[in-house]
């Protein structure tokens, strides 16, 4: 074995991204302008929605959607318990209450059979997350939402280009949110975008992202500054052109890892439904901690020492995070208060408890060559505690 170090994520930037940045610097036009517009047009085309509204990041995308959908303080939003924190903190920033649902034991995405338990007369929306790049079970989620008059906000931060039964994620719910943080399938440095077919919602989102200003003089809504800058869009626009090729390579590497490591007793490739196109943000595997005799974190550390960086998230159910544990969403004066006597988030959900801390993502980004992948296979195959 050589002594290489295989990274788990790297942005792949080319000449066009550099030239565009230089152009922004030369012109001095940083404020949302032609590059943002070009980026939005390309993304709407790619996802197949009428509108794409670029914003400062994936978290502000989520928050802006809840606002534009008209959610009121105290309204409840059902979120999965295994996801990045901001799927739920965005809900709280909107003065709404996140209600944590369990995850599907095989797919790790929102368990639609747990939705009924989470439903109250304050429920207004569901945020399914296409975790690790695998679409959530959208037919069932959509049907439940329609039955109960709930909005569906897709959190597609990790799923650029993933498809569910032929439909691009971000085009299935009322609205879709993406993140272009540096480790994602494509990047803008920092950035996000919202997709929707709803003209009125799009108009409202555009207004809210820029101070709620209808014109130079008037603030007609309580808006934010959640705009994307030209610098970010200058990087993002050529990245959109390369996404399909990036994803093809991600899938090729991930499927090779699944095949060549699929027989290990302690490491199980994640399930991929035959009706989805996985975006392979991760090449996800589940660790059998009893068989290997190590915790997920110990495996992650040991592989790193052997030159294979992996992703290792999420290590705890979201309802266990201190920020949620120490606050309460119900029966208080305000939907979000530090009420020590209320134990709203003192819950335990079986699937997420079993999975949290035990998933890792092996390196699969398009910057890897075949020798890198050979090395990953060799290290993982020969791995012992
Ligand atoms: C599932 C999920 N939702 C939301 C976000 C938030 O995106 P951002 O980091 O761009 O704010 C992320 C980011 O990593 C994410 O993975």
């Amino acid at each position: 074995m050589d002594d290489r170090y295989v990274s788990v994520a790297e942005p792949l930037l080319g000449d066009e991204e550099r030239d565009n940045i230089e152009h922004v610097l030369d012109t001095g036009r940083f404020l949302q302008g032609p590059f943002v517009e070009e980026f939005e047009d390309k993304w709407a085309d790619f996802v197949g929605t009428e509108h794409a509204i670029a914003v400062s990041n994936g978290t502000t995308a989520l928050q802006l959607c809840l606002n534009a959908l008209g959610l009121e303080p105290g309204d409840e939003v059902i979120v999965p318990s295994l996801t990045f924190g901001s799927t739920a903190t965005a809900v709280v920033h909107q003065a709404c209450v996140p209600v944590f649902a369990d995850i599907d034991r095989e797919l790790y995405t929102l368990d639609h059979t747990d939705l009924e338990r989470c439903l109250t007369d304050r429920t207004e929306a569901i945020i399914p997350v296409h975790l690790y790049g695998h679409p959530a079970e959208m037919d069932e989620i959509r049907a439940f939402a329609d039955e109960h008059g709930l909005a569906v906000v897709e959190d597609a931060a990790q799923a650029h280009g993933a498809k569910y039964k032929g439909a691009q994620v971000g085009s299935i719910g009322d609205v879709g949110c993406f993140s272009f943080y540096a480790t994602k399938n494509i990047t803008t440095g920092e950035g996000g975008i919202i997709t929707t077919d709803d003209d009125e919602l799009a108009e409202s989102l555009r207004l809210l992202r820029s101070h709620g200003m209808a014109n130079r003089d008037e603030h007609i809504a309580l808006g934010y500054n959640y705009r994307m800058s030209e610098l970010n869009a200058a990087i993002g626009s050529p990245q959109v052109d390369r996404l399909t090729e990036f994803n093809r390579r991600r899938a090729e590497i991930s499927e090779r890892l699944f095949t060549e490591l699929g027989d290990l007793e302690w490491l199980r490739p994640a399930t991929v439904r035959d009706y989805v196109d996985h975006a392979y943000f991760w090449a996800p595997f589940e660790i059998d901690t009893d068989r290997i005799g190590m915790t997920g974190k110990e495996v992650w550390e040991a592989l790193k020492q052997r030159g294979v960086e992996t992703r290792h998230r999420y290590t705890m159910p979201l309802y266990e995070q201190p920020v949620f544990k120490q606050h309460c969403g119900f029966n208080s004066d305000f939907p979000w208060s530090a009420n020590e006597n209320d134990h709203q988030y003192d819950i335990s959900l079986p699937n997420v408890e079993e999975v949290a801390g035990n998933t890792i993502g092996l390196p699969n980004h398009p910057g890897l060559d075949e020798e890198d992948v050979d090395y990953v296979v060799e290290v993982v195959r020969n791995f012992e505690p």
Side-chain angles (χ1 to χ4, degrees):
M1 262 195 252
D2 54 33
D3 57 359
R4 73 176 71 208
Y5 185 80
V6 183
S7 66
V8 77
E10 268 172 37
L12 262 190
L13 303 166
D15 290 342
E16 213 182 325
E17 286 86 335
R18 275 172 238 284
D19 291 348
N20 284 358
I21 289 287
E22 210 168 300
H23 181 77
V24 176
L25 296 180
D26 286 346
T27 59
R29 160 116 203 201
F30 295 103
L31 175 70
Q32 182 184 299
F35 276 122
V36 171
E37 208 170 303
E38 183 179 277
F39 178 59
E40 291 181 331
D41 288 348
K42 284 186 187 179
W43 195 256
D45 256 13
F46 180 80
V47 175
T49 50
E50 286 296 316
H51 306 277
I53 299 106
V55 290
S56 50
N57 57 60
T59 308
T60 52
L62 287 165
Q63 192 196 340
L64 216 56
C65 285
L66 298 175
N67 189 329
L69 284 164
L71 267 71
E72 302 277 344
D75 284 347
E76 294 172 14
V77 180
I78 303 174
V79 299
S81 297
L82 195 76
T83 173
F84 183 61
S86 73
T87 306
T89 56
V91 174
V92 182
H93 282 301
Q94 202 47 45
C96 296
V97 180
V99 177
F100 296 103
D102 205 354
I103 54 162
D104 181 294
R105 181 61 190 85
E106 283 189 37
L107 302 180
Y108 314 135
T109 55
L110 180 69
D111 178 6
H112 62 88
T113 68
D114 198 31
L115 288 171
E116 197 72 50
R117 180 189 62 83
C118 300
L119 188 72
T120 75
D121 56 5
R122 300 301 310 258
T123 313
E124 288 295 335
I126 308 176
I127 309 185
V129 180
H130 306 308
L131 200 75
Y132 306 149
H134 192 296
E137 296 281 57
M138 293 306 293
D139 276 353
E140 289 82 356
I141 293 167
R142 190 75 258 192
F144 184 89
D146 290 347
E147 191 187 340
H148 298 283
L150 313 176
V152 177
V153 177
E154 288 178 74
D155 183 342
Q158 304 186 355
H160 308 167
K163 290 183 187 164
Y164 174 79
K165 299 184 180 173
Q168 283 277 345
V169 301
S171 72
I172 307 166
D174 296 279
V175 69
C177 297
F178 295 84
S179 159
F180 299 106
Y181 177 68
T183 63
K184 297 295 198 289
N185 289 31
I186 60 167
T187 188
T188 58
E190 290 273 11
I193 208 162
I194 303 165
T195 47
T196 186
D197 282 327
D198 185 325
D199 298 343
E200 238 176 83
L201 197 63
E203 198 182 320
S204 175
L205 286 162
R206 290 195 179 101
L207 183 73
L208 289 167
R209 112 179 122 176
S210 195
H211 302 295
M213 293 186 82
N215 52 52
R216 270 186 63 85
D217 305 310
E218 284 178 296
H219 296 270
I220 61 166
L222 187 60
Y224 306 86
N225 178 358
Y226 285 170
R227 292 184 303 257
M228 175 180 277
S229 89
E230 283 288 273
L231 277 173
N232 300 101
I235 298 170
S237 177
Q239 289 269 295
V240 183
D241 304 330
R242 303 167 76 193
L243 176 55
T244 302
E245 176 51 24
F246 284 176
N247 276 6
R248 190 201 59 74
R249 180 68 181 142
R250 278 181 181 277
E252 185 174 68
I253 297 171
S254 308
E255 284 161 11
R256 192 183 149 197
L257 294 170
F258 279 13
T259 306
E260 296 192 20
L261 299 170
D263 62 331
L264 293 179
E265 291 197 329
W266 63 276
L267 199 62
R268 186 174 68 78
T271 303
V272 182
R273 293 278 186 250
D274 59 7
Y275 47 79
V276 309
D277 289 6
H278 201 305
Y280 290 111
F281 172 54
W282 279 33
F285 286 79
E286 192 172 320
I287 302 164
D288 186 328
T289 50
D290 289 337
R291 276 188 193 271
I292 194 76
M294 299 169 86
T295 64
K297 189 163 184 209
E298 284 166 348
V299 171
W300 169 73
E301 266 168 4
L303 284 173
K304 200 166 166 183
Q305 274 165 17
R306 290 161 171 79
V308 175
E309 189 185 17
T310 61
R311 298 188 199 257
H312 177 237
R313 289 180 136 185
Y314 295 88
T315 55
M316 62 175 100
L318 220 47
Y319 53 77
E320 291 286 351
Q321 288 285 353
V323 66
F324 296 113
K325 206 78 183 159
Q326 290 160 11
H327 289 78
C328 111
F330 299 92
N331 307 321
S332 55
D333 295 337
F334 188 72
W336 190 246
S337 70
N339 180 350
E340 284 168 19
N341 300 320
D342 196 302
H343 301 289
Q344 165 62 29
Y345 295 121
D346 204 3
I347 51 175
S348 172
L349 302 172
N351 295 341
V352 68
E353 300 272 339
E354 215 175 296
V355 168
N358 297 337
T359 54
I360 55 165
L362 295 183
N364 68 340
H365 63 86
L368 302 178
D369 59 26
E370 287 314 303
E371 285 82 49
D372 292 325
V373 186
D374 290 344
Y375 184 76
V376 173
V377 169
E378 195 180 341
V379 168
V380 176
R381 267 220 154 279
N382 296 314
F383 183 75
E384 282 172 10

